[in-house]
Amino acid sequence: MSVDVKEEDRKITPVLSWESPVAAYVPNMPAVRDVRSSRASKLILSCLMVLWGVFLALNSLLRGSFRADNARGPLHSSVNSTVCPQWDALYPIDNAQIDAELDNIFASTDFKLHAIDLLAGAVRIPTESHDNSGPVGEDPVWDIFADLHEYLERAFPIVYAKLNVTRINTYGLVFHWQGSTEAKPILLTAHQDVVPVEPTTVSQWIHPPYSGHYDGTWIWGRGTCDDKSEIIERLVAVDTLLRHGFSPARTIVLAFGFDEETTGLEGAGHITKYLEETYGHDGFAMLVDEGAGLNASFGNNLYFAMPAVSEKGYLDVRVEVTSPGGHSSIPPAHTGIGLLSLAVSAIEASPFTPELLRNGTPFSTIQCLADYSPLFPEALRTLSREAVNDDSALARLRDALSKSSPATKAILMTTQAVDLIEGGVKVNALPERASAVVNNRIAEHSSVAELQQHYIDVLSPVAASHNLTLRVFGRVIKTGDSGEITVSTAFGTALEPSAKTPLGYGPYSILGGTIKATMATSKLYSGASVILAPSLLLQNSDTVQYWNLTRNIFRFSLVTESDHYNGVHTVNE
Protein backbone atom coordinates (compact mmCIF):
# COMPACT_ATOMS: atom_id res chain seq x y z
CA MET A 1 0.00 0.00 0.00
CA SER A 2 1.26 3.43 -0.86
CA VAL A 3 0.58 6.68 0.95
CA ASP A 4 -0.26 10.10 -0.37
CA VAL A 5 0.99 13.31 1.27
CA LYS A 6 -1.70 15.98 1.12
CA GLU A 7 -0.37 19.51 1.05
CA GLU A 8 -3.34 21.07 2.78
CA ASP A 9 -2.89 19.23 6.06
CA ARG A 10 0.32 17.25 5.56
CA LYS A 11 -1.47 14.11 6.80
CA ILE A 12 -0.67 10.69 5.42
CA THR A 13 -3.68 9.14 3.69
CA PRO A 14 -3.57 5.56 2.34
CA VAL A 15 -3.98 5.20 -1.40
CA LEU A 16 -4.21 1.93 -3.27
CA SER A 17 -0.97 1.19 -5.09
CA TRP A 18 -2.63 1.24 -8.50
CA GLU A 19 -4.33 4.57 -7.89
CA SER A 20 -1.74 7.19 -8.68
CA PRO A 21 -2.82 10.54 -7.16
CA VAL A 22 -1.64 12.31 -10.28
CA ALA A 23 -3.37 9.93 -12.67
CA ALA A 24 -6.61 10.46 -10.78
CA TYR A 25 -6.62 14.17 -11.58
CA VAL A 26 -4.66 14.46 -14.79
CA PRO A 27 -5.95 13.21 -18.13
CA ASN A 28 -3.62 11.03 -20.12
CA MET A 29 -2.62 13.76 -22.49
CA PRO A 30 0.57 13.42 -24.51
CA ALA A 31 3.39 15.63 -23.35
CA VAL A 32 5.76 17.26 -25.80
CA ARG A 33 7.20 14.58 -28.00
CA ASP A 34 10.82 14.85 -28.88
CA VAL A 35 11.11 14.83 -32.64
CA ARG A 36 14.66 15.97 -32.72
CA SER A 37 16.85 14.12 -35.16
CA SER A 38 20.15 15.83 -34.40
CA ARG A 39 22.19 16.74 -31.36
CA ALA A 40 22.02 20.41 -32.25
CA SER A 41 18.26 20.52 -32.15
CA LYS A 42 18.25 18.42 -29.00
CA LEU A 43 20.47 20.94 -27.29
CA ILE A 44 17.97 23.70 -27.94
CA LEU A 45 14.68 21.87 -27.54
CA SER A 46 15.30 19.51 -24.61
CA CYS A 47 15.43 22.21 -21.96
CA LEU A 48 12.87 24.23 -23.91
CA MET A 49 10.25 21.54 -23.38
CA VAL A 50 10.97 21.32 -19.68
CA LEU A 51 10.50 25.07 -19.44
CA TRP A 52 7.13 25.24 -21.11
CA GLY A 53 6.12 22.14 -19.16
CA VAL A 54 6.91 24.00 -15.96
CA PHE A 55 4.86 26.97 -17.19
CA LEU A 56 1.85 24.74 -17.77
CA ALA A 57 2.36 22.54 -14.74
CA LEU A 58 2.45 25.42 -12.32
CA ASN A 59 -1.32 25.68 -12.84
CA SER A 60 -1.77 22.10 -11.53
CA LEU A 61 -1.46 20.38 -8.16
CA LEU A 62 1.08 17.62 -7.74
CA ARG A 63 0.88 14.96 -5.12
CA GLY A 64 3.21 11.98 -4.86
CA SER A 65 2.81 8.47 -3.51
CA PHE A 66 5.52 7.02 -1.33
CA ARG A 67 6.33 3.36 -1.46
CA ALA A 68 9.14 1.51 0.26
CA ASP A 69 10.89 -1.63 -0.88
CA ASN A 70 13.49 -3.31 1.31
CA ALA A 71 14.52 -5.92 -1.24
CA ARG A 72 18.16 -6.40 -2.10
CA GLY A 73 19.51 -4.99 -5.34
CA PRO A 74 18.23 -1.85 -7.06
CA LEU A 75 14.59 -0.86 -6.91
CA HIS A 76 12.59 -0.75 -10.09
CA SER A 77 11.95 2.80 -11.24
CA SER A 78 8.22 2.30 -10.65
CA VAL A 79 8.82 1.63 -6.94
CA ASN A 80 9.09 4.65 -4.71
CA SER A 81 11.91 4.83 -2.20
CA THR A 82 11.58 6.14 1.32
CA VAL A 83 15.05 7.70 1.14
CA CYS A 84 14.86 8.94 -2.46
CA PRO A 85 11.21 9.95 -2.97
CA GLN A 86 10.02 10.03 -6.56
CA TRP A 87 7.22 12.09 -8.05
CA ASP A 88 4.87 11.09 -10.83
CA ALA A 89 5.14 12.65 -14.26
CA LEU A 90 3.22 15.92 -14.33
CA TYR A 91 1.15 16.78 -17.41
CA PRO A 92 -0.82 19.98 -18.08
CA ILE A 93 -4.53 19.93 -17.28
CA ASP A 94 -6.03 23.34 -18.03
CA ASN A 95 -3.70 23.82 -21.00
CA ALA A 96 -4.16 20.44 -22.67
CA GLN A 97 -5.13 22.05 -25.97
CA ILE A 98 -2.00 24.18 -26.07
CA ASP A 99 -0.04 21.07 -25.16
CA ALA A 100 -1.39 19.28 -28.22
CA GLU A 101 -0.73 22.25 -30.49
CA LEU A 102 2.85 22.56 -29.30
CA ASP A 103 3.27 18.83 -29.82
CA ASN A 104 2.61 19.31 -33.52
CA ILE A 105 4.74 22.41 -33.80
CA PHE A 106 7.80 20.87 -32.19
CA ALA A 107 7.43 17.89 -34.53
CA SER A 108 7.98 20.02 -37.61
CA THR A 109 11.31 20.27 -39.37
CA ASP A 110 10.75 23.98 -39.97
CA PHE A 111 10.50 24.67 -36.24
CA LYS A 112 13.63 22.68 -35.51
CA LEU A 113 15.66 24.46 -38.17
CA HIS A 114 14.34 27.83 -37.01
CA ALA A 115 15.44 27.14 -33.43
CA ILE A 116 18.87 26.06 -34.64
CA ASP A 117 19.16 29.23 -36.71
CA LEU A 118 18.25 31.36 -33.70
CA LEU A 119 21.00 29.83 -31.59
CA ALA A 120 23.54 30.05 -34.40
CA GLY A 121 22.82 33.76 -34.79
CA ALA A 122 23.44 34.40 -31.11
CA VAL A 123 26.68 32.42 -31.19
CA ARG A 124 28.02 34.60 -34.01
CA ILE A 125 28.15 37.57 -31.63
CA PRO A 126 31.36 37.18 -29.55
CA THR A 127 30.15 38.37 -26.15
CA GLU A 128 33.34 37.52 -24.27
CA SER A 129 33.84 38.54 -20.66
CA HIS A 130 37.37 39.01 -19.30
CA ASP A 131 38.77 38.85 -15.79
CA ASN A 132 40.49 42.21 -16.14
CA SER A 133 37.51 44.12 -17.57
CA GLY A 134 36.62 47.50 -16.14
CA PRO A 135 33.13 48.63 -15.11
CA VAL A 136 30.30 48.98 -17.60
CA GLY A 137 30.39 52.44 -19.10
CA GLU A 138 34.14 52.73 -18.70
CA ASP A 139 35.48 49.67 -20.51
CA PRO A 140 34.48 49.30 -24.19
CA VAL A 141 34.80 45.50 -23.93
CA TRP A 142 31.11 45.42 -22.95
CA ASP A 143 29.90 47.23 -26.05
CA ILE A 144 29.48 43.98 -28.02
CA PHE A 145 26.55 43.06 -25.77
CA ALA A 146 24.52 45.82 -27.41
CA ASP A 147 24.78 43.84 -30.66
CA LEU A 148 23.37 40.76 -28.92
CA HIS A 149 20.48 42.80 -27.55
CA GLU A 150 19.66 44.12 -31.00
CA TYR A 151 19.75 40.59 -32.35
CA LEU A 152 17.42 39.23 -29.66
CA GLU A 153 14.94 42.03 -30.22
CA ARG A 154 14.86 41.30 -33.95
CA ALA A 155 14.59 37.56 -33.37
CA PHE A 156 11.83 37.73 -30.76
CA PRO A 157 9.66 40.77 -31.57
CA ILE A 158 6.53 39.33 -29.91
CA VAL A 159 8.39 38.67 -26.67
CA TYR A 160 9.66 42.24 -26.58
CA ALA A 161 6.20 43.57 -27.45
CA LYS A 162 4.21 41.52 -24.94
CA LEU A 163 6.60 41.33 -21.97
CA ASN A 164 7.94 44.16 -19.88
CA VAL A 165 11.68 44.29 -20.69
CA THR A 166 14.04 46.09 -18.31
CA ARG A 167 17.75 46.69 -18.86
CA ILE A 168 19.86 46.61 -15.70
CA ASN A 169 23.31 48.20 -15.63
CA THR A 170 23.00 48.67 -19.40
CA TYR A 171 23.42 45.02 -20.47
CA GLY A 172 21.52 42.94 -17.92
CA LEU A 173 18.13 41.81 -19.27
CA VAL A 174 14.98 41.16 -17.23
CA PHE A 175 11.73 40.03 -18.90
CA HIS A 176 8.52 40.24 -16.83
CA TRP A 177 5.55 38.12 -17.98
CA GLN A 178 2.60 39.07 -15.80
CA GLY A 179 0.46 36.26 -14.42
CA SER A 180 -3.23 36.34 -13.61
CA THR A 181 -2.80 35.49 -9.91
CA GLU A 182 -0.89 36.86 -6.94
CA ALA A 183 1.14 33.67 -6.58
CA LYS A 184 4.88 34.14 -6.21
CA PRO A 185 6.60 34.34 -9.61
CA ILE A 186 9.17 31.92 -10.92
CA LEU A 187 12.59 33.07 -12.11
CA LEU A 188 14.47 31.55 -15.05
CA THR A 189 18.05 32.70 -15.43
CA ALA A 190 20.93 32.37 -17.89
CA HIS A 191 23.95 34.41 -18.92
CA GLN A 192 24.85 36.19 -22.13
CA ASP A 193 28.64 36.08 -21.84
CA VAL A 194 31.10 33.41 -22.91
CA VAL A 195 34.66 32.63 -21.95
CA PRO A 196 37.22 34.10 -24.36
CA VAL A 197 38.66 31.97 -27.13
CA GLU A 198 42.42 31.60 -26.76
CA PRO A 199 43.83 33.08 -30.00
CA THR A 200 46.50 30.39 -30.31
CA THR A 201 43.81 27.68 -30.45
CA VAL A 202 41.67 29.09 -33.25
CA SER A 203 43.36 26.88 -35.84
CA GLN A 204 42.41 23.80 -33.80
CA TRP A 205 38.68 24.43 -34.22
CA ILE A 206 36.95 22.27 -36.82
CA HIS A 207 34.74 25.27 -37.56
CA PRO A 208 35.57 28.85 -36.52
CA PRO A 209 34.68 29.53 -32.88
CA TYR A 210 32.11 32.21 -33.69
CA SER A 211 30.75 30.75 -36.91
CA GLY A 212 27.57 29.24 -35.47
CA HIS A 213 28.01 26.62 -38.18
CA TYR A 214 25.41 23.84 -38.31
CA ASP A 215 26.65 20.69 -40.03
CA GLY A 216 23.44 18.71 -39.75
CA THR A 217 24.41 17.23 -36.39
CA TRP A 218 26.23 19.85 -34.33
CA ILE A 219 26.11 23.61 -33.91
CA TRP A 220 29.68 24.86 -33.57
CA GLY A 221 30.87 27.83 -31.61
CA ARG A 222 31.62 29.35 -28.23
CA GLY A 223 28.39 29.65 -26.29
CA THR A 224 26.50 26.80 -27.96
CA CYS A 225 26.76 24.83 -24.72
CA ASP A 226 27.51 27.57 -22.19
CA ASP A 227 25.21 29.43 -22.12
CA LYS A 228 23.49 30.96 -25.13
CA SER A 229 21.50 27.80 -25.68
CA GLU A 230 19.76 28.46 -22.35
CA ILE A 231 18.90 32.02 -23.40
CA ILE A 232 17.49 30.96 -26.75
CA GLU A 233 15.49 28.05 -25.32
CA ARG A 234 13.84 30.32 -22.73
CA LEU A 235 12.93 32.95 -25.28
CA VAL A 236 11.72 30.35 -27.80
CA ALA A 237 9.52 28.80 -25.11
CA VAL A 238 7.96 32.13 -24.22
CA ASP A 239 7.62 33.17 -27.87
CA THR A 240 5.88 29.93 -28.84
CA LEU A 241 3.49 30.06 -25.90
CA LEU A 242 2.62 33.69 -26.65
CA ARG A 243 1.86 32.82 -30.26
CA HIS A 244 -0.63 30.21 -29.07
CA GLY A 245 -2.51 32.33 -26.62
CA PHE A 246 -1.01 31.04 -23.41
CA SER A 247 -1.34 33.33 -20.42
CA PRO A 248 0.39 32.23 -17.21
CA ALA A 249 -1.42 32.05 -13.91
CA ARG A 250 1.87 32.69 -12.17
CA THR A 251 4.14 35.57 -13.16
CA ILE A 252 7.29 34.44 -14.98
CA VAL A 253 10.54 36.42 -14.94
CA LEU A 254 13.57 35.80 -17.14
CA ALA A 255 16.89 37.32 -16.06
CA PHE A 256 20.07 37.23 -18.15
CA GLY A 257 23.36 38.41 -16.65
CA PHE A 258 26.43 39.18 -18.71
CA ASP A 259 29.55 38.44 -16.67
CA GLU A 260 28.88 35.04 -15.12
CA GLU A 261 32.19 33.76 -16.44
CA THR A 262 34.07 36.33 -14.35
CA THR A 263 32.56 37.66 -11.12
CA GLY A 264 28.86 38.06 -11.90
CA LEU A 265 28.91 41.42 -10.11
CA GLU A 266 28.25 43.65 -13.10
CA GLY A 267 25.38 41.52 -14.41
CA ALA A 268 23.55 39.30 -11.92
CA GLY A 269 24.94 41.35 -9.04
CA HIS A 270 22.96 44.37 -10.24
CA ILE A 271 19.99 42.33 -11.43
CA THR A 272 19.42 40.77 -8.02
CA LYS A 273 19.20 44.20 -6.38
CA TYR A 274 16.55 45.24 -8.88
CA LEU A 275 14.61 41.99 -8.44
CA GLU A 276 14.67 42.21 -4.65
CA GLU A 277 13.50 45.81 -4.76
CA THR A 278 10.73 44.87 -7.19
CA TYR A 279 9.56 41.53 -5.83
CA GLY A 280 10.89 41.53 -2.29
CA HIS A 281 13.14 39.29 -0.22
CA ASP A 282 12.20 35.65 -0.89
CA GLY A 283 9.88 37.04 -3.51
CA PHE A 284 10.09 34.11 -5.95
CA ALA A 285 8.59 30.64 -5.70
CA MET A 286 11.54 29.02 -7.48
CA LEU A 287 14.55 29.68 -9.69
CA VAL A 288 15.94 27.50 -12.48
CA ASP A 289 19.44 28.22 -13.78
CA GLU A 290 21.97 26.30 -15.84
CA GLY A 291 23.63 23.43 -14.02
CA ALA A 292 23.68 19.68 -13.56
CA GLY A 293 21.87 17.58 -16.16
CA LEU A 294 20.99 14.02 -17.04
CA ASN A 295 23.30 11.18 -16.13
CA ALA A 296 22.91 8.34 -18.61
CA SER A 297 25.87 6.23 -17.53
CA PHE A 298 23.93 3.66 -15.51
CA GLY A 299 22.71 1.44 -18.34
CA ASN A 300 19.33 -0.26 -18.86
CA ASN A 301 17.96 2.89 -20.54
CA LEU A 302 17.94 4.52 -17.11
CA TYR A 303 18.47 8.26 -16.68
CA PHE A 304 19.11 10.14 -13.48
CA ALA A 305 17.84 13.72 -13.59
CA MET A 306 20.07 15.42 -11.04
CA PRO A 307 19.22 19.06 -10.39
CA ALA A 308 21.79 20.68 -8.10
CA VAL A 309 19.99 21.85 -4.98
CA SER A 310 23.02 23.38 -3.29
CA GLU A 311 26.50 24.55 -4.22
CA LYS A 312 29.84 24.73 -2.53
CA GLY A 313 31.31 27.84 -1.03
CA TYR A 314 34.39 29.49 -2.47
CA LEU A 315 37.55 31.23 -1.29
CA ASP A 316 40.78 32.05 -3.10
CA VAL A 317 43.56 32.33 -0.53
CA ARG A 318 46.83 34.16 -1.16
CA VAL A 319 49.84 32.92 0.81
CA GLU A 320 52.65 35.45 0.64
CA VAL A 321 56.14 35.21 2.08
CA THR A 322 58.35 38.27 2.57
CA SER A 323 61.97 37.84 3.62
CA PRO A 324 65.29 39.76 3.46
CA GLY A 325 66.89 40.13 0.06
CA GLY A 326 70.53 40.08 -0.87
CA HIS A 327 72.98 38.60 -3.32
CA SER A 328 72.42 35.01 -4.33
CA SER A 329 76.08 34.19 -3.68
CA ILE A 330 75.39 34.23 0.09
CA PRO A 331 72.00 32.54 0.45
CA PRO A 332 70.18 31.65 3.67
CA ALA A 333 69.07 28.09 4.39
CA HIS A 334 65.71 28.92 2.80
CA THR A 335 65.05 31.77 0.39
CA GLY A 336 61.64 33.39 0.29
CA ILE A 337 60.69 30.95 -2.46
CA GLY A 338 61.95 28.08 -0.34
CA LEU A 339 59.88 29.25 2.62
CA LEU A 340 56.84 29.55 0.38
CA SER A 341 57.42 26.02 -0.85
CA LEU A 342 57.44 24.81 2.75
CA ALA A 343 54.14 26.57 3.34
CA VAL A 344 52.62 25.10 0.18
CA SER A 345 53.89 21.63 1.11
CA ALA A 346 52.29 21.97 4.55
CA ILE A 347 48.99 22.96 2.96
CA GLU A 348 48.99 20.03 0.57
CA ALA A 349 50.04 17.66 3.36
CA SER A 350 46.96 18.70 5.36
CA PRO A 351 43.90 18.11 3.20
CA PHE A 352 40.45 18.44 4.64
CA THR A 353 38.66 15.39 6.01
CA PRO A 354 35.74 14.01 3.99
CA GLU A 355 32.38 14.08 5.77
CA LEU A 356 29.11 12.37 4.96
CA LEU A 357 26.20 13.82 6.91
CA ARG A 358 22.67 12.44 6.77
CA ASN A 359 21.22 15.92 6.36
CA GLY A 360 23.58 16.76 3.50
CA THR A 361 22.98 16.72 -0.25
CA PRO A 362 25.77 14.18 -0.97
CA PHE A 363 24.06 11.67 1.34
CA SER A 364 20.77 12.16 -0.53
CA THR A 365 22.54 11.67 -3.87
CA ILE A 366 24.19 8.45 -2.70
CA GLN A 367 20.90 7.09 -1.36
CA CYS A 368 19.25 7.64 -4.74
CA LEU A 369 22.08 5.95 -6.60
CA ALA A 370 22.13 3.06 -4.14
CA ASP A 371 18.38 2.52 -4.42
CA TYR A 372 18.01 2.78 -8.20
CA SER A 373 21.30 2.38 -10.08
CA PRO A 374 21.92 -1.16 -11.39
CA LEU A 375 25.63 -0.35 -11.65
CA PHE A 376 26.05 0.75 -8.04
CA PRO A 377 28.39 -1.77 -6.32
CA GLU A 378 26.33 -4.19 -4.26
CA ALA A 379 28.61 -3.90 -1.23
CA LEU A 380 28.17 -0.13 -1.26
CA ARG A 381 24.45 -0.50 -1.88
CA THR A 382 24.08 -2.60 1.27
CA LEU A 383 26.28 -0.23 3.23
CA SER A 384 24.31 2.77 2.01
CA ARG A 385 21.04 1.30 3.17
CA GLU A 386 22.51 0.40 6.56
CA ALA A 387 23.95 3.94 6.87
CA VAL A 388 20.46 5.44 7.07
CA ASN A 389 20.29 4.45 10.75
CA ASP A 390 23.69 2.95 11.62
CA ASP A 391 26.50 5.39 12.50
CA SER A 392 29.20 2.76 12.05
CA ALA A 393 27.91 1.95 8.57
CA LEU A 394 27.79 5.68 7.79
CA ALA A 395 31.48 6.06 8.68
CA ARG A 396 32.43 3.03 6.58
CA LEU A 397 30.38 4.33 3.67
CA ARG A 398 32.12 7.68 3.90
CA ASP A 399 35.54 6.01 3.83
CA ALA A 400 34.61 3.75 0.94
CA LEU A 401 33.24 6.62 -1.13
CA SER A 402 36.34 8.72 -0.42
CA LYS A 403 38.50 5.98 -1.90
CA SER A 404 36.28 5.34 -4.90
CA SER A 405 37.34 8.30 -7.05
CA PRO A 406 38.74 11.84 -6.77
CA ALA A 407 35.43 13.25 -8.00
CA THR A 408 33.42 11.49 -5.32
CA LYS A 409 35.89 12.50 -2.65
CA ALA A 410 35.62 16.14 -3.75
CA ILE A 411 31.87 16.06 -3.13
CA LEU A 412 32.44 15.12 0.51
CA MET A 413 35.05 17.68 1.48
CA THR A 414 36.49 21.15 1.12
CA THR A 415 39.05 20.97 -1.68
CA GLN A 416 42.23 22.98 -2.15
CA ALA A 417 44.30 23.48 -5.29
CA VAL A 418 47.47 25.57 -5.50
CA ASP A 419 46.95 27.10 -8.93
CA LEU A 420 49.11 30.25 -9.06
CA ILE A 421 52.66 30.92 -7.88
CA GLU A 422 55.13 33.73 -8.46
CA GLY A 423 58.26 35.22 -6.93
CA GLY A 424 61.73 36.55 -7.66
CA VAL A 425 62.84 39.18 -10.11
CA LYS A 426 66.41 38.17 -11.04
CA VAL A 427 68.49 35.04 -10.99
CA ASN A 428 71.26 36.50 -8.80
CA ALA A 429 68.99 38.33 -6.34
CA LEU A 430 67.38 36.70 -3.32
CA PRO A 431 63.59 37.02 -3.64
CA GLU A 432 62.11 39.45 -1.16
CA ARG A 433 58.59 38.38 -1.96
CA ALA A 434 56.95 35.19 -3.23
CA SER A 435 53.31 34.18 -3.24
CA ALA A 436 50.89 31.44 -4.19
CA VAL A 437 47.13 31.40 -4.59
CA VAL A 438 45.10 28.42 -3.39
CA ASN A 439 41.65 27.82 -4.80
CA ASN A 440 39.29 26.40 -2.17
CA ARG A 441 35.82 24.97 -2.77
CA ILE A 442 34.12 24.87 0.61
CA ALA A 443 32.08 21.79 1.50
CA GLU A 444 28.35 22.11 2.05
CA HIS A 445 28.81 21.28 5.74
CA SER A 446 31.69 23.73 6.32
CA SER A 447 32.17 27.52 6.29
CA VAL A 448 34.57 30.33 5.42
CA ALA A 449 35.48 30.69 9.11
CA GLU A 450 36.37 27.01 9.40
CA LEU A 451 38.56 27.29 6.32
CA GLN A 452 40.36 30.33 7.72
CA GLN A 453 41.05 28.50 10.97
CA HIS A 454 42.45 25.62 8.97
CA TYR A 455 45.12 27.89 7.50
CA ILE A 456 46.07 29.06 10.98
CA ASP A 457 46.42 25.47 12.17
CA VAL A 458 48.44 24.36 9.15
CA LEU A 459 50.84 27.30 8.84
CA SER A 460 51.54 28.03 12.52
CA PRO A 461 54.12 25.19 12.77
CA VAL A 462 55.88 26.44 9.62
CA ALA A 463 56.09 29.97 10.99
CA ALA A 464 57.32 28.73 14.38
CA SER A 465 59.99 26.48 12.87
CA HIS A 466 61.51 29.30 10.83
CA ASN A 467 61.01 32.28 13.16
CA LEU A 468 58.45 33.96 10.90
CA THR A 469 55.60 36.28 11.73
CA LEU A 470 52.28 34.72 10.79
CA ARG A 471 49.45 37.09 9.79
CA VAL A 472 46.22 35.36 8.78
CA PHE A 473 43.26 37.34 7.43
CA GLY A 474 44.37 40.45 9.31
CA ARG A 475 45.17 38.72 12.60
CA VAL A 476 48.73 38.40 13.88
CA ILE A 477 48.99 34.84 15.12
CA LYS A 478 52.66 34.93 16.09
CA THR A 479 55.69 37.16 15.56
CA GLY A 480 59.17 36.36 14.29
CA ASP A 481 62.35 38.07 13.10
CA SER A 482 63.18 36.25 9.87
CA GLY A 483 60.30 37.31 7.65
CA GLU A 484 56.56 37.01 7.43
CA ILE A 485 53.87 34.71 6.09
CA THR A 486 50.73 36.65 5.22
CA VAL A 487 47.52 34.80 4.41
CA SER A 488 44.74 36.86 2.85
CA THR A 489 41.72 36.67 0.60
CA ALA A 490 42.76 36.88 -3.04
CA PHE A 491 40.63 38.75 -5.58
CA GLY A 492 38.04 39.70 -2.97
CA THR A 493 36.37 36.29 -3.14
CA ALA A 494 34.70 34.81 -0.07
CA LEU A 495 31.49 32.84 -0.46
CA GLU A 496 29.74 30.66 2.10
CA PRO A 497 28.19 27.38 0.92
CA SER A 498 24.63 27.86 -0.23
CA ALA A 499 21.55 26.86 1.70
CA LYS A 500 19.91 23.62 0.58
CA THR A 501 16.79 23.77 -1.54
CA PRO A 502 13.96 21.93 0.24
CA LEU A 503 13.22 18.50 -1.21
CA GLY A 504 9.74 17.09 -1.36
CA TYR A 505 6.31 18.35 -2.31
CA GLY A 506 6.40 21.78 -3.93
CA PRO A 507 8.86 23.30 -6.43
CA TYR A 508 11.14 20.24 -6.30
CA SER A 509 8.30 17.85 -7.13
CA ILE A 510 6.94 20.15 -9.86
CA LEU A 511 10.32 20.34 -11.58
CA GLY A 512 10.85 16.59 -11.23
CA GLY A 513 7.37 15.74 -12.48
CA THR A 514 7.80 18.03 -15.47
CA ILE A 515 11.16 16.47 -16.37
CA LYS A 516 9.62 13.01 -16.20
CA ALA A 517 6.61 13.99 -18.30
CA THR A 518 8.83 15.51 -20.96
CA MET A 519 11.05 12.44 -21.19
CA ALA A 520 8.20 9.94 -20.92
CA THR A 521 6.72 11.03 -24.27
CA SER A 522 10.01 11.84 -25.98
CA LYS A 523 11.10 9.85 -28.99
CA LEU A 524 14.68 10.55 -28.05
CA TYR A 525 14.19 8.94 -24.62
CA SER A 526 11.68 6.35 -25.81
CA GLY A 527 11.07 3.78 -23.10
CA ALA A 528 13.53 5.36 -20.72
CA SER A 529 13.11 5.27 -16.97
CA VAL A 530 13.83 8.50 -15.11
CA ILE A 531 14.95 8.86 -11.50
CA LEU A 532 14.97 12.27 -9.81
CA ALA A 533 18.01 12.70 -7.56
CA PRO A 534 19.32 15.88 -5.91
CA SER A 535 22.96 16.81 -6.39
CA LEU A 536 25.60 19.23 -5.15
CA LEU A 537 27.17 21.72 -7.56
CA LEU A 538 30.95 21.85 -7.09
CA GLN A 539 31.28 25.11 -9.02
CA ASN A 540 29.36 28.36 -8.75
CA SER A 541 27.14 30.20 -11.19
CA ASP A 542 25.11 33.39 -11.21
CA THR A 543 22.80 31.77 -8.66
CA VAL A 544 25.16 32.95 -5.92
CA GLN A 545 23.86 36.45 -6.58
CA TYR A 546 20.23 35.35 -6.26
CA TRP A 547 20.17 33.56 -2.90
CA ASN A 548 18.02 36.27 -1.29
CA LEU A 549 15.27 35.83 -3.86
CA THR A 550 14.08 32.28 -3.07
CA ARG A 551 14.83 29.15 -1.04
CA ASN A 552 14.06 26.98 -4.07
CA ILE A 553 17.02 27.18 -6.43
CA PHE A 554 17.59 24.50 -9.05
CA ARG A 555 20.68 24.34 -11.23
CA PHE A 556 19.60 22.04 -14.04
CA SER A 557 19.79 21.61 -17.81
CA LEU A 558 18.13 18.74 -19.66
CA VAL A 559 21.28 17.58 -21.46
CA THR A 560 23.68 14.66 -21.22
CA GLU A 561 27.42 14.53 -21.79
CA SER A 562 26.82 13.11 -25.27
CA ASP A 563 25.06 16.35 -26.23
CA HIS A 564 28.43 18.13 -26.11
CA TYR A 565 30.98 17.41 -28.79
CA ASN A 566 33.96 18.41 -26.67
CA GLY A 567 32.63 19.93 -23.45
CA VAL A 568 32.59 23.63 -22.56
CA HIS A 569 35.28 26.28 -22.17
CA THR A 570 37.49 24.48 -24.66
CA VAL A 571 38.27 23.99 -28.34
CA ASN A 572 35.38 22.80 -30.54
CA GLU A 573 32.51 23.70 -28.25
Side-chain angles (χ1 to χ4, degrees), residues 396-419:
R396 286 181 279 129
L397 176 62
R398 174 202 62 207
D399 294 342
L401 292 171
S402 298
K403 296 174 182 177
S404 63
S405 72
T408 302
K409 187 176 183 179
I411 293 173
L412 306 179
M413 61 186 288
T414 295
T415 58
Q416 54 189 27
V418 184
D419 292 330

Side-chain angles (χ1 to χ4, degrees), residues 495-565:
L495 179 70
E496 298 286 355
S498 74
K500 284 177 54 183
T501 293
L503 306 180
Y505 183 93
Y508 181 72
S509 63
I510 289 176
L511 178 64
T514 303
I515 292 169
K516 288 187 176 185
T518 300
M519 297 181 66
T521 54
S522 163
K523 290 184 178 180
L524 179 66
Y525 303 107
S526 178
S529 299
V530 184
I531 299 299
L532 182 66
S535 67
L536 169 69
L537 190 67
L538 301 185
Q539 306 87 14
N540 301 110
S541 69
D542 268 348
T543 56
V544 303
Q545 308 293 338
Y546 299 131
W547 290 353
N548 283 345
L549 300 178
T550 179
R551 298 171 58 220
N552 302 294
I553 297 177
F554 304 100
R555 307 144 184 95
F556 180 76
S557 303
L558 190 62
V559 293
T560 67
E561 288 187 7
S562 63
D563 296 323
H564 296 166
Y565 179 87

Side-chain angles (χ1 to χ4, degrees), residues 75 77 108 139 206 234 249 371 375 383 417 419 564 569:
L75 302 180
S77 59
S108 71
D139 193 332
I206 296 174
R234 282 151 168 71
D371 261 5
L375 301 183
L383 197 56
D419 292 330
H564 296 166
H569 293 198

